[in-house]
Amino acid sequence: MTFNITKVREDFPILKREVNGKPLVYLDNGASAQKPQAVIDAVTQAYSSEYANVHRGLHYLSNLATDKYESVRSKVAKFLNSSVEDSIVFNSGTTEGINLIAYAWAMPRLQAGDEIVLSIMEHHANIIPWHFLRERMGIKLVWVDVDANGDLDPERMIAAMTESTKLVAITHLSNVLGTVVDVKTITKAAHDLGAVVLVDGSQAAVHMPIDVEDIDCDFYAITGHKLYGPSGSGAIYIKPERMAEMRPFMGGGDMIRDVGREVITYNDAPMKFEAGTPAIVQQIGLGVALDYMMDIGMENIASHEKALRDYARERLDGLNWLNIQGKSLGKAAIFSFTLNGPAHAHDISTVLDKKGIAVRAGHHCAQPLMEHLGVSSTCRASFAMYNTKGEVDKLVDGLEFCQELFG
Ligand code: PLP
């Protein structure tokens, strides 16, 4: 299929609306992406004519909902290129996925003095669960810096690993800098030392094809709302050997087989890790979002976004009063910046908003990175498959207006 930007934009109804009297320019995709009509329709249909709880019912609607819900597992497996459908555990997104690994895999296995290696550019979702282990168990966190361009040389990660390293927790793509990390090389080195690797794929999975079997990572977390799917949907890939080592985390319905007064037997994995009524409709919507992306083709999406990135880089580099954080050549179309002068990132985002341009301002849940960069906050414009070069121009016009106002 060829990539047709006009058709793609038509698929997203929200892009037709105005904000503050101006056509919406949505550049906050790193926080959450908009939804195509196919996902909105699937959610509406699931609630209006196909809704029931899953797994426990014997009636028609329950079976229908269960079939639809469970069919998403193979779609996620295909999307991540896992040949094992049961390697996919559903959850509410990356935050829950990483916490699952912290509680169900790491806590029972790690001991005081063991080390977790992570990069300075991790999102808090891939930091706080490991801080829990530091606080509660005496685990040591080993931080690896990025270079001046925001690149992470795999050799730096490898140099930080020791025989005490039990886990490497690494983002595949930085939500602030846009840096893409060579997670395959890092995984190989960690495995050679007997450590396991968790990859935070929240940002990467929406911008590029993912192949967990090629990376050979142990865990790969994704989040549905950034993948054009509903909020509350998500999944984590868990290598079967690792899943076999994990103890259940949340207890409740669905994750058990038999419960007595003194005994309990668990359901098979992956259900063993999915306690309680899940986000049924949201997961069904996620399946449709993944189909939508796979129909367009991840390579096509990636090459459209690469062209956008190159154009945005060229235009933004021309603004000599703009400080761009993250200059990695192979980065994704994510641009974090500050303006020379007194303007705060919040001021810039407020002014841009008046022009219908949505960007994010703040620490982007990456405070260790902000400290490393020596800034308290930045503005971030993050692009998606439906953005255009014309929108890059509008962003540049908006920034020039900010510079005149505050500079
Ligand atoms: N990791 C990265 C790199 C992210 O950008 C985000 C969200 O911004 C997360 C993790 C957390 O995702 P969620 O809030 O959907 O769990």
Side-chain angles (χ1 to χ4, degrees):
M1 197 195 243
T2 54
F3 188 86
N4 180 340
I5 184 66
T6 310
K7 162 84 179 65
V8 167
R9 286 186 68 82
E10 274 165 12
D11 289 340
F12 289 80
I14 203 168
L15 300 179
K16 294 187 185 76
R17 72 159 289 170
E18 296 192 338
V19 166
N20 291 323
K22 304 279 176 359
L24 169 65
V25 176
Y26 188 76
L27 301 179
D28 194 18
N29 298 286
S32 204
Q34 300 297 348
K35 318 303 169 200
Q37 191 65 50
V39 169
I40 300 166
D41 289 347
V43 168
T44 307
Q45 184 179 331
Y47 275 130
S48 44
S49 59
E50 295 172 344
Y51 185 77
N53 208 335
V54 289
H55 297 143
R56 322 187 235 279
L58 292 175
H59 60 83
Y60 177 85
L61 280 180
S62 178
N63 288 333
L64 181 64
T66 303
D67 287 349
K68 284 211 153 188
Y69 173 82
E70 279 300 327
S71 73
V72 179
R73 222 178 278 281
S74 60
K75 292 178 203 273
V76 177
K78 184 174 162 201
F79 183 73
L80 296 177
N81 197 39
S82 166
S83 51
V84 183
E85 195 181 308
D86 283 349
S87 63
I88 305 300
V89 172
F90 287 157
N91 53 37
S92 62
T94 297
T95 302
E96 188 182 327
I98 297 177
N99 275 277
L100 169 72
I101 304 310
Y103 281 91
W105 185 84
M107 274 190 190
R109 310 183 73 75
L110 271 52
Q111 291 172 355
D114 285 344
E115 295 174 358
I116 297 177
V117 175
L118 62 171
S119 89
I120 199 71
M121 63 183 163
E122 299 310 313
H123 185 281
H124 293 167
N126 198 21
I127 297 176
I128 314 302
W130 314 126
H131 264 306
F132 288 167
L133 271 66
R134 182 192 58 76
E135 276 183 348
R136 299 171 194 180
M137 299 170 63
I139 303 300
K140 190 174 163 209
L141 303 187
V142 179
W143 296 90
V144 179
D145 282 345
V146 290
D147 68 18
N149 280 336
D151 273 314
L152 181 66
D153 184 345
E155 291 306 323
R156 284 198 190 196
M157 288 292 287
I158 294 167
M161 297 178 203
T162 69
E163 295 208 328
S164 300
T165 305
K166 294 293 178 284
L167 175 74
V168 175
I170 181 76
T171 188
H172 200 174
L173 200 163
S174 160
N175 64 316
V176 179
L177 305 174
T179 306
V180 178
V181 176
D182 179 358
V183 287
K184 186 175 172 179
T185 302
I186 292 168
T187 300
K188 165 92 179 57
H191 285 174
D192 286 348
L193 273 177
V196 309
V197 178
L198 177 142
V199 181
D200 174 351
S202 306
Q203 296 288 340
V206 67
H207 297 299
M208 57 203 255
I210 304 299
D211 186 336
V212 289
E213 295 194 346
D214 181 55
I215 298 169
D216 197 31
C217 57
D218 299 273
F219 311 108
Y220 195 99
I222 58 171
T223 205
H225 67 97
K226 294 187 204 286
L227 292 162
Y228 309 104
S231 51
S233 66
I236 184 163
Y237 159 81
I238 303 176
K239 207 182 237 189
E241 300 96 284
R242 296 289 88 72
M243 211 181 294
E245 292 168 355
M246 283 165 55
R247 68 178 186 197
F249 165 38
M250 299 243 287
D254 254 17
M255 52 78 73
I256 44 82
R257 183 160 293 136
D258 289 303
V259 183
R261 292 181 187 220
E262 303 292 339
V263 286
I264 174 173
T265 54
Y266 300 121
N267 210 333
D268 292 333
M271 301 255 307
K272 187 176 168 182
F273 303 106
E274 295 174 356
T277 299
I280 303 162
V281 174
Q282 289 85 342
Q283 289 299 113
I284 292 171
L286 172 61
V288 174
L290 298 183
D291 279 343
Y292 178 80
M293 294 177 79
M294 289 189 279
D295 282 350
I296 292 176
M298 290 309 295
E299 294 287 0
N300 291 332
I301 293 172
S303 73
H304 171 73
E305 291 184 2
K306 200 166 162 234
L308 270 181
R309 174 204 66 191
D310 290 346
Y311 184 67
R313 176 149 48 197
E314 186 192 316
R315 295 265 8 234
L316 295 173
D317 276 351
L319 309 177
N320 61 10
W321 34 264
L322 196 79
N323 307 310
I324 296 177
Q325 301 289 354
K327 305 241 169 162
S328 171
L329 279 181
K331 69 183 271 174
I334 295 178
F335 293 88
S336 289
F337 51 82
T338 52
L339 262 63
N340 283 347
H344 190 273
H346 288 176
D347 302 329
I348 299 162
S349 112
T350 306
V351 173
L352 292 176
D353 184 51
K354 293 277 174 278
K355 294 178 173 293
I357 304 168
V359 297
R360 185 143 296 248
H363 56 58
H364 314 293
C365 295
Q367 284 183 330
L369 176 64
M370 294 288 133
E371 192 194 9
H372 171 81
L373 297 172
V375 293
S376 58
S377 63
T378 68
C379 260
R380 180 187 68 186
S382 49
F383 292 79
M385 70 161 108
Y386 40 65
N387 290 122
T388 64
K389 290 183 180 171
E391 291 180 316
V392 173
D393 292 336
K394 286 188 181 173
L395 172 67
V396 171
D397 290 348
L399 290 172
E400 280 171 336
F401 181 77
C402 289
Q403 175 64 4
E404 273 168 36
L405 203 63
F406 300 115

